[in-house]
Amino acid sequence: MSNLLSALGSAGDAVSVFERAIAVTQNNIANSSTPGYVEQTATFDALPFSSVSGATGGVITGPVTSARNIYAESSVQQAQTALGTWQEQVNTLQGLQTNFDITGAAGIPGALNTLFSAFSTWAASPNDSTARQTVLTSAQGLSTAFQQQAAAVSAAATSADSELGSLVSQVNTLAGKIRQDNIQSSAGGPADSAVDADLYNNLEQLAQIVPITALKESNGSTSVLIGGQTPLVIGQQQYTISSNIAVPTNPPPANPAGPPSAQILDSNGNDITAQITTGQIGGVLQARNGTLAQLQGDANQPGSLNQLAQAVADRVNTLLTGGNVTNADPVSGAAAVPGVALFTYDATNPAATAGTLSVNPEITPGQLAAIDPGPPEVDNGIPLKLANLATPQNAADEINNMSYTQFYGTMAGQLGTAISTAQGNQTTTQDALTQAQTLRQQGSGVDLNSEAIKVLQFQQAYDAASKMVTILDQLTQNFLDAIQLVQ
């Protein structure tokens, strides 16, 4: 009788084991498309069998194992980080490409060509009032072009600042979710595949935004560090980060009035910008504090756009103020009338030249100096020298050994190269991410065909164990009936 009862118990255990295996497999099928979910596998442990000791053998449920491969996850996270870097550089910079015309037909190059043409026309008729007015009108067009260009770059920087704030908010939100995952993972009990899936989905999203290092702790929680240094989540503790737009103070800036830089601060207010060189935030920072700062300037550089504006304005003003509107009159004793500067700008802030460049509001066409006092004196010498700025012959008419249009072309070319490089790397890193995700899926993803076969196998095993229970139950009942008859 005892052997029958033991066999019945073993068969009942087998029913529970296969029922649990079916549930695990069905859970795989149901979550096959859940972000972060990987295949779970039911395992079985054999019980000892011995005819001597009476051990009936059988099977019990073993631990449910996960197919998650940490190395595959790390590869996907790293690929996400790289892709995020180039995506944000493209998003931040590509809008400026149309503003930097290099054909010479529009923008600053077109305005420069128009001004040089006006100087040439004036040189042909130095006393013509219409030619002089055309010079003033063309100069106004150039100042407007510089202002518009400066405004476009500034708008791109402002947009980048907004994007940076949004990304930082996303980081803190994801860190909060990981903290909740840690709370559930540390609560004890068997591992929850849903919590595990949520954790790795959050980690993958986070990795696209900032470079992270994720460390699994002995209590089941996951610690997350930014750039391998700054804590973001440690156990059940979250450390928020923030974005800041400010002029750096260490070392002391050369131009404190220049445009501020974007910063990322840790939970204690420490600047951790240098730790975030990749990911979406890293991409924004590189574009914002790198490419855009090179154009518009910052606390430590005037910016190439401002350098060009100042070079043009200073050289034109120098030539005009070095000339005369009229010569001295030896008969009346009247002195020569010197020329007046054509351009003005904010000279107190080297990074504001382009944005503040304008035509001298007090100048009139008659104050444009055409006479070069020489020696030798040339009646149209100043407009000739101004017209020659288009094709400079001496260093005084150049900027960094280039003409003004060449300098602008180099500046625009550098922006174009930065955008082209980012676009190319975006394509490359997208391919790398797709490959990493495919390899992860192959190693740990749910294969619906395989799971369907498992369901059939476990169902058949469950049915067989159930039949064994039925048979043993009937044998037990028959045995009990036989005993009653004997009595």
Side-chain angles (χ1 to χ4, degrees), residues 368-405:
L368 289 174
I371 302 171
D372 184 354
E377 180 180 296
V378 181
D379 289 343
N380 65 344
I382 298 303
L384 283 175
K385 288 182 178 180
L386 290 170
N388 286 336
L389 293 177
T391 54
Q393 302 300 315
N394 59 79
D397 296 337
E398 297 176 334
I399 175 173
N400 292 353
N401 298 318
M402 291 179 280
S403 70
Y404 301 138
T405 52

Short mmCIF file of all heavy atoms in Angstrom, two decimals, residues 368-405:
data_model
loop_
_atom_site.label_atom_id
_atom_site.label_comp_id
_atom_site.label_asym_id
_atom_site.label_seq_id
_atom_site.Cartn_x
_atom_site.Cartn_y
_atom_site.Cartn_z
N LEU A 368 31.52 109.37 -47.37
CA LEU A 368 32.36 108.28 -47.83
C LEU A 368 33.61 108.87 -48.49
O LEU A 368 33.52 109.63 -49.44
CB LEU A 368 31.62 107.40 -48.83
CG LEU A 368 30.49 106.53 -48.25
CD1 LEU A 368 29.74 105.84 -49.38
CD2 LEU A 368 31.04 105.50 -47.27
N ALA A 369 34.76 108.49 -47.97
CA ALA A 369 36.02 109.06 -48.45
C ALA A 369 36.50 108.30 -49.68
O ALA A 369 36.74 107.09 -49.62
CB ALA A 369 37.07 109.01 -47.36
N ALA A 370 36.66 109.02 -50.80
CA ALA A 370 37.14 108.40 -52.03
C ALA A 370 38.60 108.70 -52.28
O ALA A 370 39.29 107.96 -52.99
CB ALA A 370 36.30 108.86 -53.21
N ILE A 371 39.10 109.78 -51.72
CA ILE A 371 40.46 110.26 -52.04
C ILE A 371 41.49 109.54 -51.18
O ILE A 371 41.41 109.55 -49.94
CB ILE A 371 40.57 111.78 -51.82
CG1 ILE A 371 39.53 112.51 -52.67
CG2 ILE A 371 41.97 112.26 -52.13
CD1 ILE A 371 39.42 113.98 -52.36
N ASP A 372 42.44 108.93 -51.83
CA ASP A 372 43.59 108.34 -51.14
C ASP A 372 44.69 109.40 -51.12
O ASP A 372 45.22 109.78 -52.17
CB ASP A 372 44.07 107.09 -51.88
CG ASP A 372 45.21 106.39 -51.16
OD1 ASP A 372 45.70 106.91 -50.15
OD2 ASP A 372 45.61 105.30 -51.63
N PRO A 373 45.04 109.92 -49.90
CA PRO A 373 46.01 111.02 -49.85
C PRO A 373 47.41 110.63 -50.28
O PRO A 373 48.26 111.49 -50.53
CB PRO A 373 45.96 111.46 -48.38
CG PRO A 373 45.50 110.25 -47.64
CD PRO A 373 44.56 109.54 -48.58
N GLY A 374 47.64 109.33 -50.42
CA GLY A 374 48.94 108.88 -50.93
C GLY A 374 50.07 109.06 -49.93
O GLY A 374 49.85 109.01 -48.73
N PRO A 375 51.24 109.47 -50.42
CA PRO A 375 51.48 109.76 -51.86
C PRO A 375 51.59 108.48 -52.70
O PRO A 375 51.98 107.47 -52.16
CB PRO A 375 52.79 110.51 -51.82
CG PRO A 375 53.51 110.00 -50.58
CD PRO A 375 52.44 109.66 -49.60
N PRO A 376 51.28 108.57 -53.99
CA PRO A 376 50.68 109.75 -54.63
C PRO A 376 49.18 109.80 -54.34
O PRO A 376 48.56 108.78 -54.05
CB PRO A 376 50.93 109.50 -56.10
CG PRO A 376 50.88 108.01 -56.23
CD PRO A 376 51.50 107.47 -54.96
N GLU A 377 48.62 110.96 -54.42
CA GLU A 377 47.19 111.13 -54.18
C GLU A 377 46.41 110.57 -55.37
O GLU A 377 46.75 110.79 -56.52
CB GLU A 377 46.88 112.62 -54.02
CG GLU A 377 45.41 112.91 -53.75
CD GLU A 377 45.14 114.39 -53.61
OE1 GLU A 377 45.68 115.00 -52.65
OE2 GLU A 377 44.44 114.94 -54.48
N VAL A 378 45.34 109.83 -55.04
CA VAL A 378 44.50 109.24 -56.07
C VAL A 378 43.05 109.55 -55.73
O VAL A 378 42.58 109.21 -54.64
CB VAL A 378 44.69 107.71 -56.16
CG1 VAL A 378 43.82 107.13 -57.27
CG2 VAL A 378 46.16 107.36 -56.39
N ASP A 379 42.33 110.19 -56.66
CA ASP A 379 40.97 110.64 -56.37
C ASP A 379 40.01 109.50 -56.05
O ASP A 379 39.09 109.67 -55.26
CB ASP A 379 40.42 111.44 -57.55
CG ASP A 379 41.10 112.80 -57.70
OD1 ASP A 379 41.74 113.24 -56.71
OD2 ASP A 379 40.99 113.41 -58.77
N ASN A 380 40.20 108.34 -56.68
CA ASN A 380 39.33 107.20 -56.41
C ASN A 380 40.12 106.05 -55.77
O ASN A 380 39.75 104.88 -55.88
CB ASN A 380 38.66 106.72 -57.69
CG ASN A 380 39.66 106.19 -58.71
OD1 ASN A 380 40.88 106.44 -58.58
ND2 ASN A 380 39.18 105.48 -59.72
N GLY A 381 41.20 106.40 -55.09
CA GLY A 381 42.09 105.37 -54.53
C GLY A 381 41.45 104.51 -53.46
O GLY A 381 41.67 103.29 -53.40
N ILE A 382 40.61 105.10 -52.61
CA ILE A 382 39.99 104.32 -51.53
C ILE A 382 38.99 103.30 -52.08
O ILE A 382 39.06 102.11 -51.73
CB ILE A 382 39.34 105.25 -50.50
CG1 ILE A 382 40.41 106.15 -49.86
CG2 ILE A 382 38.61 104.42 -49.43
CD1 ILE A 382 41.54 105.39 -49.19
N PRO A 383 38.04 103.70 -52.94
CA PRO A 383 37.12 102.68 -53.47
C PRO A 383 37.84 101.60 -54.28
O PRO A 383 37.40 100.46 -54.32
CB PRO A 383 36.13 103.48 -54.32
CG PRO A 383 36.76 104.79 -54.55
CD PRO A 383 37.63 105.06 -53.36
N LEU A 384 38.97 101.97 -54.93
CA LEU A 384 39.75 100.95 -55.64
C LEU A 384 40.31 99.92 -54.66
O LEU A 384 40.26 98.70 -54.91
CB LEU A 384 40.88 101.61 -56.44
CG LEU A 384 40.50 102.31 -57.74
CD1 LEU A 384 41.72 103.01 -58.33
CD2 LEU A 384 39.93 101.30 -58.75
N LYS A 385 40.85 100.41 -53.55
CA LYS A 385 41.40 99.50 -52.54
C LYS A 385 40.28 98.64 -51.93
O LYS A 385 40.47 97.44 -51.66
CB LYS A 385 42.10 100.29 -51.44
CG LYS A 385 43.43 100.89 -51.87
CD LYS A 385 44.11 101.61 -50.70
CE LYS A 385 45.47 102.17 -51.12
NZ LYS A 385 46.15 102.87 -50.01
N LEU A 386 39.13 99.27 -51.73
CA LEU A 386 38.00 98.51 -51.17
C LEU A 386 37.52 97.44 -52.15
O LEU A 386 37.19 96.32 -51.75
CB LEU A 386 36.85 99.47 -50.84
CG LEU A 386 37.09 100.41 -49.64
CD1 LEU A 386 36.00 101.47 -49.57
CD2 LEU A 386 37.13 99.60 -48.34
N ALA A 387 37.47 97.77 -53.43
CA ALA A 387 37.05 96.78 -54.44
C ALA A 387 38.03 95.63 -54.52
O ALA A 387 37.65 94.48 -54.79
CB ALA A 387 36.91 97.46 -55.79
N ASN A 388 39.33 95.93 -54.28
CA ASN A 388 40.36 94.89 -54.35
C ASN A 388 40.29 93.90 -53.19
O ASN A 388 41.01 92.89 -53.18
CB ASN A 388 41.74 95.53 -54.40
CG ASN A 388 42.03 96.17 -55.75
OD1 ASN A 388 41.45 95.78 -56.77
ND2 ASN A 388 42.91 97.16 -55.77
N LEU A 389 39.44 94.18 -52.18
CA LEU A 389 39.28 93.23 -51.08
C LEU A 389 38.71 91.90 -51.58
O LEU A 389 38.88 90.87 -50.93
CB LEU A 389 38.36 93.81 -50.01
CG LEU A 389 38.88 95.02 -49.23
CD1 LEU A 389 37.81 95.53 -48.25
CD2 LEU A 389 40.15 94.68 -48.48
N ALA A 390 38.05 91.95 -52.73
CA ALA A 390 37.49 90.71 -53.30
C ALA A 390 38.60 89.74 -53.69
O ALA A 390 38.44 88.52 -53.59
CB ALA A 390 36.61 91.04 -54.49
N THR A 391 39.72 90.30 -54.17
CA THR A 391 40.88 89.48 -54.55
C THR A 391 42.12 90.11 -53.93
O THR A 391 42.90 90.79 -54.61
CB THR A 391 41.02 89.42 -56.08
OG1 THR A 391 41.07 90.76 -56.60
CG2 THR A 391 39.86 88.66 -56.70
N PRO A 392 42.32 89.91 -52.63
CA PRO A 392 43.39 90.61 -51.91
C PRO A 392 44.78 90.28 -52.43
O PRO A 392 45.06 89.15 -52.84
CB PRO A 392 43.20 90.14 -50.47
CG PRO A 392 42.51 88.82 -50.60
CD PRO A 392 41.61 88.95 -51.78
N GLN A 393 45.63 91.30 -52.39
CA GLN A 393 47.01 91.15 -52.83
C GLN A 393 48.01 91.31 -51.69
O GLN A 393 49.20 91.12 -51.89
CB GLN A 393 47.32 92.19 -53.92
CG GLN A 393 46.40 92.11 -55.13
CD GLN A 393 46.49 90.76 -55.82
OE1 GLN A 393 47.58 90.23 -56.05
NE2 GLN A 393 45.32 90.18 -56.16
N ASN A 394 47.53 91.70 -50.51
CA ASN A 394 48.44 91.85 -49.37
C ASN A 394 47.77 91.33 -48.11
O ASN A 394 46.54 91.18 -48.04
CB ASN A 394 48.85 93.32 -49.20
CG ASN A 394 47.65 94.22 -48.97
OD1 ASN A 394 47.13 94.28 -47.87
ND2 ASN A 394 47.22 94.95 -50.01
N ALA A 395 48.60 91.06 -47.10
CA ALA A 395 48.12 90.42 -45.88
C ALA A 395 47.10 91.26 -45.14
O ALA A 395 46.22 90.73 -44.44
CB ALA A 395 49.30 90.10 -44.96
N ALA A 396 47.19 92.59 -45.27
CA ALA A 396 46.26 93.48 -44.56
C ALA A 396 44.83 93.28 -45.02
O ALA A 396 43.88 93.58 -44.28
CB ALA A 396 46.68 94.93 -44.75
N ASP A 397 44.65 92.78 -46.23
CA ASP A 397 43.30 92.59 -46.78
C ASP A 397 42.81 91.15 -46.62
O ASP A 397 41.79 90.78 -47.19
CB ASP A 397 43.29 92.95 -48.27
CG ASP A 397 43.60 94.42 -48.52
OD1 ASP A 397 43.40 95.22 -47.59
OD2 ASP A 397 44.03 94.76 -49.64
N GLU A 398 43.52 90.36 -45.84
CA GLU A 398 43.18 88.95 -45.67
C GLU A 398 42.87 88.63 -44.21
O GLU A 398 43.13 89.42 -43.31
CB GLU A 398 44.34 88.06 -46.15
CG GLU A 398 44.67 88.19 -47.62
CD GLU A 398 45.89 87.37 -48.01
OE1 GLU A 398 46.75 87.12 -47.13
OE2 GLU A 398 45.98 86.99 -49.19
N ILE A 399 42.35 87.45 -44.00
CA ILE A 399 42.14 86.91 -42.66
C ILE A 399 42.66 85.48 -42.66
O ILE A 399 42.22 84.65 -43.46
CB ILE A 399 40.65 86.97 -42.25
CG1 ILE A 399 40.44 86.29 -40.90
CG2 ILE A 399 39.74 86.38 -43.31
CD1 ILE A 399 39.03 86.45 -40.34
N ASN A 400 43.66 85.25 -41.83
CA ASN A 400 44.31 83.93 -41.78
C ASN A 400 44.82 83.50 -43.16
O ASN A 400 44.65 82.35 -43.58
CB ASN A 400 43.36 82.87 -41.23
CG ASN A 400 43.04 83.08 -39.77
OD1 ASN A 400 43.61 83.95 -39.11
ND2 ASN A 400 42.10 82.30 -39.25
N ASN A 401 45.43 84.46 -43.88
CA ASN A 401 46.01 84.22 -45.20
C ASN A 401 44.96 83.82 -46.25
O ASN A 401 45.28 83.17 -47.25
CB ASN A 401 47.10 83.13 -45.14
CG ASN A 401 48.24 83.53 -44.25
OD1 ASN A 401 48.69 84.68 -44.28
ND2 ASN A 401 48.72 82.59 -43.44
N MET A 402 43.72 84.22 -46.03
CA MET A 402 42.65 83.93 -46.97
C MET A 402 41.84 85.20 -47.22
O MET A 402 41.80 86.10 -46.38
CB MET A 402 41.71 82.84 -46.42
CG MET A 402 42.32 81.45 -46.33
SD MET A 402 41.14 80.24 -45.63
CE MET A 402 41.34 80.62 -43.88
N SER A 403 41.18 85.24 -48.38
CA SER A 403 40.24 86.33 -48.62
C SER A 403 39.03 86.10 -47.73
O SER A 403 38.84 85.02 -47.17
CB SER A 403 39.81 86.34 -50.10
OG SER A 403 38.99 85.23 -50.40
N TYR A 404 38.20 87.13 -47.63
CA TYR A 404 37.04 87.02 -46.77
C TYR A 404 36.08 85.91 -47.26
O TYR A 404 35.52 85.15 -46.45
CB TYR A 404 36.31 88.36 -46.69
CG TYR A 404 37.18 89.47 -46.15
CD1 TYR A 404 37.16 90.74 -46.72
CD2 TYR A 404 38.04 89.25 -45.07
CE1 TYR A 404 37.96 91.76 -46.24
CE2 TYR A 404 38.85 90.27 -44.59
CZ TYR A 404 38.81 91.53 -45.17
OH TYR A 404 39.61 92.52 -44.69
N THR A 405 35.88 85.82 -48.54
CA THR A 405 34.99 84.78 -49.07
C THR A 405 35.60 83.38 -48.90
O THR A 405 34.88 82.41 -48.66
CB THR A 405 34.68 85.03 -50.56
OG1 THR A 405 35.90 85.21 -51.27
CG2 THR A 405 33.82 86.28 -50.72
#
